[in-house]
Amino acid sequence: MSVHRPVVSLHDEFKAFLKQLPTDRFLNMSTIAKFWSADLSLQKRYAQLEASTAMVLGKAQKIVRKLFTLSKRCPKQPRISLPRERPVGFWLGTAQSLLYCNEHGVLGMFSEEAKSCTCPVEQPTCQGTIPCVVGPSPNSCSQCATDNATRCGACHHGNVLHLGSCRPSIGASLDHYLNFDLDMPDAEVKFLLQRLDSRIEVHAIYISNDVRLGSWFNPAWRKRMLLTLKSNKNKSNLIHMLMGISFQICSTKNSTLEPVPVIYVNPFGGSHSESWFMPVNQPEFSDWERTRLDSIPNAQCYNWTLSLGNKWKSFFETVHIYLRSRIVTDDPTVNETLFYEPLDLDDQTSNMGYMKINTLKVLGYSMHFDPEGIKDVILQLDYPYTQGTQDAAFLMLLEMRDRINRLSPPAPQPLDLFSCLLRHRLKLSAGEVARIKDSLQIFNSKLPYAFPEPDLAQLCS
């Protein structure tokens, strides 16, 4: 007795489905799946095929069982094998391969990740035309070119067509690339800093070989700690503003030592030598505020808070903290600071107490940052997309430079923070940074009513 194959076939419907797919833009698997779901005729035939296959399987099982029952020579139960059902994903992938890997009548296999074809060995040129990507994202085309579907023919608002691809045009506002304005009055900032409010805490990574948070340590000699953000790895679309530092430190009871923290701030990354010294306790600059905590027994604990606020806020990527200990004395004849630095660390007789740092926080906020967009603006200095974009790029970079350098920390000579941003957050070479600086200075000198360029100290190499 024979078993017939299902009479329903997808061949004709599948060919009709392929003819309905648009060829004026690239179709990914999810887009083809939408067309597949919307084709009611195809869905009906596919359901018929599934039902027909199930019917054939049931009929085959019934016939084989009957034959097995009548047979006296079969030593074991028969195994029924039918062609494995092909899932919808197979048909979608086949459609994509037929669209883009069917040149010269030879079918290859299309890879959406690589946007290329794997062709048979005997015919290595099966790849056909792969159209441009049309989509809602800014870098996508709004339509492909009619004379060459592999290139963009039009772009979304805010982009310009350049050599067959869509590139961002110069933004109308600096906020498109970099936004470091905080709409918060000084009184509110001061209130949040005093409360050490968690809403203005920037979560950073604590690193130290000398001090473990929450553990007692011998405060002899200098201890080094740092809080860093690793933005290029973890937060490449953000830059960060420092508005305060806070740490809780405890000393053993009856200790005659007090901590002396020294702070260095690295604005955008790089080596420690590219950090600036924070002039705490200098004229007109903030000083540490200490608040005694009475709730911790058997220890003298204080909250140390340094509030920079809107006045002294500046960019930061890493905060380096050096902690030394000063011997507290009431002797008015002692004019110099006496640091606790015993010659022998193992000499317990010279021990004047232990310290413990429970918490260490940086206070501030993070801001939108578009490194690729800024690189694109820089590229237009030499290769403008359209007439007039070069001047717009110069003006945008000049505004960016001036507003960044305006947040230079207090120092006898303002620092060139803009070069640090180019060097470490955009990862430009030292030569490229120097060329951009020179180009901006030349352009600025030609502007009417141009202000003289300030003499800036170089922080980053």
Side-chain angles (χ1 to χ4, degrees):
M1 181 177 282
S2 61
V3 178
H4 295 285
R5 292 183 179 183
V7 295
V8 180
S9 173
L10 272 181
H11 184 262
D12 294 335
E13 281 70 20
F14 190 70
K15 288 175 65 176
F17 169 70
L18 285 174
K19 290 181 180 179
Q20 294 175 8
L21 294 177
T23 58
D24 61 340
R25 61 184 184 276
F26 174 72
L27 303 179
N28 57 23
M29 289 278 278
S30 60
T31 305
I32 297 175
K34 291 178 181 178
F35 283 104
W36 176 279
S37 301
D39 193 326
L40 299 180
S41 174
L42 183 67
Q43 294 300 311
K44 184 178 178 180
R45 274 302 183 97
Y46 192 79
Q48 288 177 355
L49 178 62
E50 288 181 316
S52 167
T53 303
M55 182 183 68
V56 168
L57 178 61
K59 189 175 181 180
Q61 288 173 334
K62 183 177 178 180
I63 293 173
V64 170
R65 278 196 299 267
K66 188 174 181 179
L67 291 174
F68 179 76
T69 304
L70 296 173
S71 175
K72 297 179 180 180
R73 297 179 181 273
C74 291
K76 57 182 180 179
Q77 290 280 350
R79 183 168 61 91
I80 302 172
S81 296
L82 285 178
R84 182 169 55 90
E85 181 183 355
R86 289 167 171 170
V88 174
F90 166 82
W91 298 105
L92 300 181
T94 301
Q96 208 173 36
S97 296
L98 286 168
L99 284 172
Y100 307 128
C101 305
N102 195 26
E103 198 75 1
H104 307 298
V106 179
L107 182 62
M109 182 179 295
F110 183 75
S111 169
E112 188 168 313
E113 291 183 0
K115 286 194 72 175
S116 63
C117 300
T118 302
C119 302
V121 178
E122 64 274 10
Q123 180 56 269
T125 57
C126 67
Q127 181 167 315
T129 300
I130 301 177
C132 74
V133 176
V134 174
S137 64
N139 293 331
S140 299
C141 314
S142 61
Q143 69 179 53
C144 300
T146 54
D147 58 339
N148 185 351
T150 64
R151 299 160 70 93
C152 292
C155 301
H156 295 290
H157 178 71
N159 291 323
V160 293
L161 184 64
H162 178 65
L163 300 178
S165 62
C166 293
R167 295 296 192 94
S169 58
I170 301 297
S173 168
L174 183 60
D175 293 345
H176 182 79
Y177 308 101
L178 177 67
N179 180 10
F180 45 83
D181 288 332
L182 178 68
D183 297 326
M184 189 181 298
D186 289 341
E188 186 176 355
V189 170
K190 185 177 181 180
F191 174 75
L192 293 174
L193 289 172
Q194 287 175 341
R195 290 186 55 191
L196 305 180
D197 197 293
S198 60
R199 289 174 293 178
I200 59 168
E201 179 182 353
V202 182
H203 296 282
I205 301 169
Y206 174 81
I207 300 174
S208 177
N209 291 326
D210 302 329
V211 177
R212 181 179 298 176
L213 293 179
S215 299
W216 293 99
F217 61 89
N218 187 337
W221 299 95
R222 186 183 69 171
K223 309 296 181 185
R224 181 184 177 186
M225 300 158 279
L226 62 88
L227 289 165
T228 186
L229 296 167
K230 297 185 182 296
S231 295
N232 283 332
K233 180 180 180 181
N234 303 322
K235 307 171 184 177
S236 61
N237 64 332
L238 296 174
I239 58 172
H240 314 277
M241 194 70 71
L242 179 67
M243 301 188 74
I245 303 169
S246 175
F247 65 93
Q248 185 186 107
I249 188 166
C250 299
S251 303
T252 51
K253 280 202 169 182
N254 302 320
S255 172
T256 57
L257 298 174
E258 67 176 5
V260 183
V262 176
I263 310 295
Y264 286 85
V265 179
N266 184 299
F268 297 112
S271 65
H272 177 268
S273 62
E274 295 170 308
S275 304
W276 55 271
F277 170 71
M278 189 172 286
V280 178
N281 203 23
Q282 296 297 315
E284 297 186 4
F285 194 76
S286 300
D287 196 3
W288 292 102
E289 297 178 9
R290 290 182 285 182
T291 305
R292 176 72 181 265
L293 304 174
D294 298 325
S295 59
I296 302 177
N298 302 321
Q300 305 174 69
C301 296
Y302 291 85
N303 269 341
W304 285 57
T305 305
L306 181 66
S307 300
L308 305 180
N310 283 323
K311 182 178 182 181
W312 297 119
K313 67 181 181 181
S314 190
F315 300 99
F316 85 100
E317 175 66 21
T318 302
V319 176
H320 299 268
I321 301 145
Y322 295 92
L323 185 68
R324 300 179 75 180
S325 299
R326 180 170 54 201
I327 301 172
V328 179
T329 176
D330 295 327
D331 187 353
T333 62
V334 178
N335 294 325
E336 295 182 359
T337 301
L338 297 177
F339 288 104
Y340 174 45
E341 297 176 352
L343 296 177
D344 186 1
L345 286 175
D346 297 326
D347 182 8
Q348 296 299 318
T349 60
S350 64
N351 188 288
M352 304 180 72
Y354 289 88
M355 290 185 182
K356 177 176 66 171
I357 296 178
N358 291 325
T359 60
L360 185 57
K361 301 178 181 179
V362 281
L363 307 172
Y365 55 95
S366 301
M367 302 149 289
H368 164 72
F369 176 61
D370 182 8
E372 295 305 317
I374 297 174
K375 284 182 181 178
D376 202 79
V377 174
I378 292 171
L379 186 65
Q380 294 183 57
L381 299 183
D382 299 316
Y383 306 102
Y385 300 147
T386 58
Q387 186 176 3
T389 57
Q390 187 179 51
D391 286 356
F394 270 115
L395 292 171
M396 180 64 69
L397 289 172
L398 278 175
E399 182 185 1
M400 189 182 303
R401 181 199 66 176
D402 294 344
R403 294 184 68 177
I404 288 174
N405 288 338
R406 203 176 298 155
L407 290 168
S408 172
Q413 188 178 11
L415 299 177
D416 183 8
L417 298 183
F418 180 66
S419 294
C420 295
L421 177 84
L422 299 179
R423 190 79 174 91
H424 296 300
R425 291 306 305 272
L426 300 189
K427 296 184 176 297
L428 302 183
S429 67
E432 289 175 310
V433 173
R435 184 181 62 82
I436 293 168
K437 285 176 55 183
D438 292 342
S439 298
L440 291 177
Q441 288 178 354
I442 293 171
F443 181 82
N444 186 64
S445 66
K446 297 178 181 178
L447 293 176
Y449 311 109
F451 291 99
E453 294 279 339
D455 187 16
L456 302 177
Q458 295 304 309
L459 181 64
C460 299
S461 57

